[in-house]
Amino acid sequence: MAQKIVVDPITRIEGHLRIEAKIENGRIVDAWSSSTAFRGIETILKGRDPRDAHHFTQRFCGVCTTVHSMASIRCVEDALKIQIPDNARLIRNLIMAAQNVQDHIIHFYHLHALDWVDIVSALEADPAATSKLAQSISDYPKSSTDYFRGIQERVKAFAGTGRLGPFQNAYWGHSAYKLPPEANLMAVAHYLEALDIQREIIKIHAILGSKNPHPQTFLVGGMAIPVDPDSQNAINADRIAQLRRLFRLARTFTEQVYIPDLLAVASFYTDWAGIGAGVGNYLCFGDFPLYEGGGKESYYFPQGIILGRDLSRVLPVDQQKITEYVSRSWYTYAGGDARGLHPWQGETSHRYTGPKPPYEWLDTDAKYSWVKAPRYEDQPMEVGPLARILVAYASGHQEVQAVAHFALNKLGVGPEVLFSTLGRTAARGLETLLLAQKAETWLDQLTDNMGRGIYEVHNGEKWDPASWPREAQGFGYHEAPRGALGHWIRIERGAIANFQAVVPSTWNAGPRCANNHRGPYEEALIGTPVADEKQPLEILRTIHSFDPCLACAVH
Ligand code: NFC
């Protein structure tokens, strides 16, 4: 008999995500994804100076703040046809790489690991056997019996206080947890270690962006951070050495801890390579330009679309084909809800007067979310690390293919397993490795420019609004940690006439559209087994594999 269950809230970070699922014979047969908090930040951008847009859009989120600066600045630069200097390209790449690497480490250890790792079981582990296990998979120096015994004692003392904080109300002891106690203890140790490491890595933003969250050095036309040795607070040799140390730390941790842990944990959960496939369409705007003035052909992560899980074809992206539907979202378009709107014509309205929260159950036959439903040529698209790895892999990207083959060979599986919950989690780790390695080359290039006396960080040519056309529109992109991010601006007489964002978690968490196609979260849950409806751990696994951020999704 069919039964409906609800998981609310489901996120471990900000935003309000609610999942309702219909279960029949122990499997999910239908699902609905909803965000229950309105934001409306796009509406407060209207009438403002386009050069200020990024200060507001950063506040879409408290986690991926800087990514919205990037997309906002790029859409203004696109509208006004501004080229940025090479140093600005490199500093932006470095800031964005640090964001992705830190965010992914936090996701793996702090937002997702506990879906696979049973902390309670770690208390029973033998520290000596844990040490042996850790040394068999990595050269990471912190691996002695004493180290793991110390961690176990810390966790025992913490559990003894009875105040479990983030570990409260979890499904410890659930039959779907498969790791032996020693693997659980190793993962718990690295959970704690990663808390320190992520704090270190993000100091890169303090150096290049003045602060985090909400770095402050982005500027239309480049960056507001001097590299000229005559400037006060310039990036100098000391700062470069500090950046080098922090990027090296990120790389070492990823190579010696994150990737070995990912592969070790994945080897116990290969059944999850057959669960959570989702819509099977993947979209990437691409990012990280590798040379000055380069367009999409210069991106380290290439642009492209994969449809229907067909890795033999990578299709081009045309942002004009993107629309957002509100037929099942708590908004109403002036022209009616049957059509999706391209973001240049997009609306974030308060016109809808029908039922909204609070409710006992969502009205899933009507409108049921504050997230809009983005579509590409009317198709739902998954965005994120898996989309990036698949598009790059299918485009023949050699470094991506090398890391993907390394991981797949270790697990003894083929690339088809990537279309899954496990594939999503693995792809995130692989791109962390690639970015942590690549960032050092961008730092080398920046140092090289400085050594040759190239200090320009900002193109001031179009700074004066008097030099702007009367009307202009632009599109700004970025590959944020959770996927393809787009901002669209229309400028009229020097002010913002309309501003719309289609955010990674909007693509992934969105509800159905007018054509009744499910969104990616919803589709990924279909077929998922649920062993115990009162403890739906399996729903957490698939939804968390997307790394949801609903503050962003609604914005
Ligand atoms: Ni918030 Fe963001 C969401 C990211 O999807 N990455 O572009 C925004 O958040 O974490």
Side-chain angles (χ1 to χ4, degrees):
M1 213 189 72
Q3 187 194 354
K4 215 166 175 191
I5 64 166
V6 54
V7 190
D8 182 9
I10 191 167
T11 30
R12 280 206 178 94
I13 54 170
E14 59 184 334
H16 302 73
L17 174 62
R18 173 184 178 101
I19 296 290
E20 290 188 8
K22 195 160 127 193
I23 300 177
E24 233 171 71
N25 302 323
R27 280 190 189 272
I28 296 176
V29 293
D30 211 346
W32 297 268
S33 161
S34 171
S35 182
T36 53
F38 177 70
R39 308 286 310 285
I41 296 178
E42 288 155 332
T43 61
I44 64 174
L45 274 104
K46 289 193 184 179
R48 294 185 185 275
D49 187 321
R51 294 167 300 181
D52 284 345
H54 69 116
H55 292 300
F56 292 88
T57 60
Q58 278 212 48
R59 274 70 190 177
F60 285 170
C61 189
V63 174
C64 71
T65 62
T66 188
V67 308
H68 295 292
S69 261
M70 189 68 274
S72 285
I73 297 264
R74 279 178 171 162
C75 77
V76 180
E77 289 168 349
D78 182 49
L80 302 176
K81 308 284 170 270
I82 298 173
Q83 290 288 334
I84 61 164
D86 198 39
N87 288 335
R89 168 187 73 87
L90 291 164
I91 296 169
R92 289 177 181 185
N93 278 3
L94 290 168
I95 291 180
M96 295 305 148
Q99 173 75 32
N100 269 270
V101 170
Q102 186 231 17
D103 203 303
H104 288 350
I105 289 173
I106 293 174
H107 176 260
F108 183 71
Y109 286 101
H110 308 126
L111 306 177
H112 197 29
L114 301 183
D115 300 336
W116 312 96
V117 172
D118 185 339
I119 293 206
V120 173
S121 145
L123 300 178
E124 294 156 23
D126 170 5
T130 310
S131 162
K132 222 164 137 190
L133 168 68
Q135 288 172 9
S136 73
I137 63 167
S138 168
D139 295 333
Y140 195 59
K142 287 189 182 174
S143 61
S144 67
T145 302
D146 281 350
Y147 169 70
F148 287 112
R149 185 177 296 114
I151 296 287
Q152 198 177 40
E153 279 163 8
R154 254 171 90 185
V155 177
K156 265 186 196 151
F158 180 66
T161 66
R163 293 193 312 255
L164 293 182
F167 307 128
Q168 195 107 34
N169 295 330
Y171 302 144
W172 310 131
H174 192 290
S175 62
Y177 282 118
K178 298 274 170 55
L179 297 185
E182 285 69 29
N184 281 318
L185 178 57
M186 182 178 74
V188 171
H190 295 159
Y191 176 111
L192 297 173
E193 184 94 5
L195 285 170
D196 289 335
I197 298 288
Q198 62 82 25
R199 188 197 57 219
E200 286 300 301
I201 294 171
I202 213 58
K203 287 180 181 168
I204 292 167
H205 282 195
I207 298 169
L208 293 174
S210 295
K211 67 192 272 285
N212 179 280
H214 308 296
Q216 293 296 296
T217 53
F218 282 87
L219 211 54
V220 168
M223 297 297 292
I225 174 122
V227 297
D228 174 349
D230 291 337
S231 306
Q232 238 188 343
N233 297 319
I235 297 298
N236 54 23
D238 280 355
R239 295 274 157 80
I240 294 279
Q242 221 177 339
L243 289 168
R244 212 173 277 291
R245 184 186 67 75
L246 294 168
F247 276 115
R248 182 48 64 98
L249 177 76
R251 177 180 174 165
T252 305
F253 186 79
T254 307
E255 288 175 347
Q256 297 189 5
V257 184
Y258 183 179
I259 297 295
D261 282 355
L262 172 66
L263 295 174
V265 172
S267 69
F268 287 92
Y269 289 108
T270 46
D271 49 332
W272 282 83
I275 299 172
V279 294
N281 304 323
Y282 302 90
L283 166 76
C284 283
F285 292 142
D287 210 337
F288 299 102
L290 290 176
Y291 48 84
E292 183 174 10
K296 58 177 188 269
E297 69 295 337
S298 74
Y299 297 162
Y300 182 56
F301 285 150
Q303 185 173 90
I305 284 180
I306 288 173
L307 284 182
R309 291 181 205 116
D310 178 2
L311 291 179
S312 70
R313 280 191 320 157
V314 178
L315 303 167
V317 177
D318 176 359
Q319 60 83 14
Q320 303 263 14
K321 294 180 175 171
I322 293 171
T323 52
E324 284 193 301
Y325 281 90
V326 294
S327 10
R328 310 300 290 279
S329 313
W330 286 308
Y331 307 90
T332 298
Y333 285 155
D337 295 348
R339 269 181 340 117
L341 295 182
H342 182 271
W344 275 326
Q345 282 76 47
E347 298 172 23
T348 300
S349 73
H350 299 272
R351 278 183 221 103
Y352 176 66
T353 52
K356 292 186 200 119
Y359 42 73
E360 193 175 344
W361 291 95
L362 295 170
D363 184 357
T364 50
D365 293 328
K367 293 177 182 270
Y368 61 90
S369 181
W370 283 117
V371 186
K372 296 177 186 172
R375 296 292 183 261
Y376 186 90
E377 286 192 313
D378 270 343
Q379 294 304 312
M381 310 297 287
E382 174 171 341
V383 299
L386 178 57
R388 287 191 281 260
I389 291 291
L390 289 174
V391 166
Y393 184 91
S395 305
H397 190 300
Q398 288 183 353
E399 287 160 50
V400 168
Q401 290 191 339
V403 294
H405 288 151
F406 161 77
L408 294 169
N409 290 345
K410 275 259 179 198
L411 295 173
V413 290
E416 64 287 349
V417 305
L418 288 168
F419 302 113
S420 67
T421 296
L422 192 63
R424 226 168 264 125
T425 299
R428 190 172 289 105
L430 299 182
E431 76 167 18
T432 308
L433 179 64
L434 290 162
L435 277 176
Q437 292 171 343
K438 200 72 192 170
E440 292 183 16
T441 67
W442 294 323
L443 194 54
D444 290 342
Q445 287 175 33
L446 180 64
T447 322
D448 188 51
N449 280 354
M450 289 161 62
R452 291 189 291 132
I454 300 171
Y455 300 133
E456 193 188 5
V457 287
H458 184 248
N459 170 359
E461 264 175 37
K462 303 250 179 79
W463 187 250
D464 181 0
S467 66
W468 300 354
R470 206 175 149 81
E471 290 185 10
Q473 58 185 20
F475 161 63
Y477 65 93
H478 174 49
E479 284 296 334
R482 288 156 194 78
L485 166 67
H487 285 191
W488 284 259
I489 194 168
R490 279 203 300 108
I491 302 172
E492 286 173 16
R493 294 177 202 192
I496 298 175
N498 199 14
F499 198 101
Q500 289 282 313
V502 183
V503 175
S505 297
T506 319
W507 283 103
N508 289 337
R512 285 149 168 83
C513 54
N515 301 316
N516 218 21
H517 294 146
R518 294 185 189 97
Y521 288 4
E522 298 177 334
E523 194 62 42
L525 287 172
I526 307 302
T528 297
V530 177
D532 175 359
E533 300 91 40
K534 295 212 165 49
Q535 298 198 327
L537 177 62
E538 298 88 344
I539 293 182
L540 303 192
R541 285 182 175 170
T542 290
I543 296 297
H544 287 163
S545 73
F546 288 90
D547 193 4
C549 176
L550 272 292
C552 262
V554 180
H555 53 273

